[in-house]
Amino acid sequence: VSVQKLSLLKAGYCLVDASSLDTRRPAGDMARLPIWSYLIETTDGPILIDTGMPESCIHDPEGFFRGTEDEGLIVPQMQEQDLITNVLARCGYAPRDLVCVISTHLHFDHAGGNLLFPHTDVVLQKAEYEAALKQDNYFDVCKDPTLSYHLVEGDREFLPGVHLIFTPGHTPGHQSVLVHTPNDTIILAIDAAYHRPNYEDGVPFAVRDAEQARESIAKLKRLAKETSAKVFFGHDAGQAEAWKVYPEFY
Ligand SMILES: [Zn+2]
């Protein structure tokens, strides 16, 4: 099995308080962040990384966080076209076509559509699964126990050209993904860094464990150097201009 291409898929936007990008800033300003999913096409079939926001955010964006500590601080901007099954359909695939879903962590903007893949293996770090079961700040829609979880622990070559990189800090079991395509090596940092200043300048952002988050960034930097990888951040507002976004691919 080998990797044929990697596509960066847009899956809507989310308004968040800008202090989540830089925790030293006072609260009160909103920033508009892009939400991403990723498609790896292999000779065995397609692999989806992350599933965007929950369907309910299309018609009731404020409802999702109502009554939580994030009410008014996180406001999804999701359209019908951003629903992960519609994103995938534009690439020519239905859920049953997938080899698996790689779930980087169980936040609402990454695992919100996981329930739309009831017959697909969901590849997740064991530490994330256990944290989600124990902690009430994970949403039920993102940690549904009926899904077919394929739990992994730590770094591993998932298949030739696709490496899961354990990068805890943002959440207890967050993972990033390194992909070797025929012409490029790309690290999908996901939320190990929300945007470039978190990665380049050490600007502190919304994480559960700051020490772990710093170590994870250092790990990705070492890996990026070793492999000459380009690094794509989880929610950098301006980065996409310099990248090939679907229907272009790597
Ligand atoms: Zn995120």
Side-chain angles (χ1 to χ4, degrees):
V1 51
S2 65
V3 171
Q4 297 169 308
K5 51 177 162 167
L6 167 68
S7 301
L8 312 178
L9 310 175
K10 278 198 152 160
Y13 291 86
C14 190
L15 300 177
V16 300
D17 195 281
S19 65
S20 64
L21 294 166
D22 180 348
T23 53
R24 301 167 306 189
R25 284 179 62 164
D29 298 325
M30 297 299 267
R32 185 170 185 255
L33 305 187
I35 308 295
W36 296 95
S37 289
Y38 312 88
L39 184 71
I40 303 172
E41 289 170 277
T42 79
T43 49
D44 274 3
I47 295 171
L48 181 67
I49 303 176
D50 285 349
T51 60
M53 298 181 283
E55 188 168 15
S56 69
C57 295
I58 299 171
H59 298 295
D60 184 15
E62 317 231 312
F64 195 77
F65 289 96
R66 194 167 293 134
T68 75
E69 61 182 12
D70 287 320
E71 181 169 1
L73 300 177
I74 303 180
V75 182
Q77 293 189 327
M78 183 183 187
Q79 298 180 293
E80 204 69 55
Q81 65 180 20
D82 303 319
L83 185 65
I84 193 63
T85 43
N86 295 336
V87 173
L88 202 52
R90 284 198 293 281
C91 302
Y93 298 114
R96 65 179 170 278
D97 298 325
L98 296 179
V99 173
C100 64
V101 169
I102 294 175
S103 205
T104 63
H105 62 302
L106 297 179
H107 278 171
F108 97 105
D109 53 328
H110 296 264
N114 280 11
L115 267 176
L116 297 169
F117 301 87
H119 307 297
T120 308
D121 274 2
V122 175
V123 179
L124 182 68
Q125 289 284 332
K126 185 164 179 251
E128 186 71 3
Y129 183 72
E130 289 179 347
L133 288 185
K134 272 185 260 157
Q135 293 171 15
D136 54 10
N137 60 339
Y138 282 87
F139 292 97
D140 287 344
V141 66
C142 299
K143 60 177 188 183
D144 189 277
T146 65
L147 294 183
S148 163
Y149 292 104
H150 173 115
L151 299 180
V152 296
E153 283 182 82
D155 298 344
R156 67 177 50 208
E157 184 179 50
F158 185 66
L159 52 85
V162 179
H163 298 254
L164 305 178
I165 316 296
F166 186 52
T167 47
H170 178 63
T171 64
H174 185 277
Q175 59 185 346
S176 306
V177 185
L178 180 146
V179 186
H180 294 289
T181 71
N183 296 310
D184 296 280
T185 299
I186 290 168
I187 291 174
L188 303 171
I190 315 291
D191 291 355
Y194 269 0
H195 67 168
R196 181 172 293 281
N198 306 136
Y199 184 85
E200 298 285 353
D201 310 326
V203 170
F205 67 110
V207 300
R208 277 196 77 82
D209 185 316
E211 181 62 34
Q212 274 189 341
R214 275 194 296 275
E215 285 169 13
S216 289
I217 285 177
K219 179 179 186 176
L220 291 182
K221 284 183 170 175
R222 283 195 303 274
L223 192 62
K225 199 169 172 198
E226 278 165 28
T227 61
S228 304
K230 286 161 61 88
V231 181
F232 191 81
F233 306 109
H235 301 286
D236 191 298
Q239 75 180 336
E241 288 162 28
W243 286 76
K244 293 190 280 185
V245 173
Y246 181 83
E248 292 186 279
F249 60 87
Y250 288 92

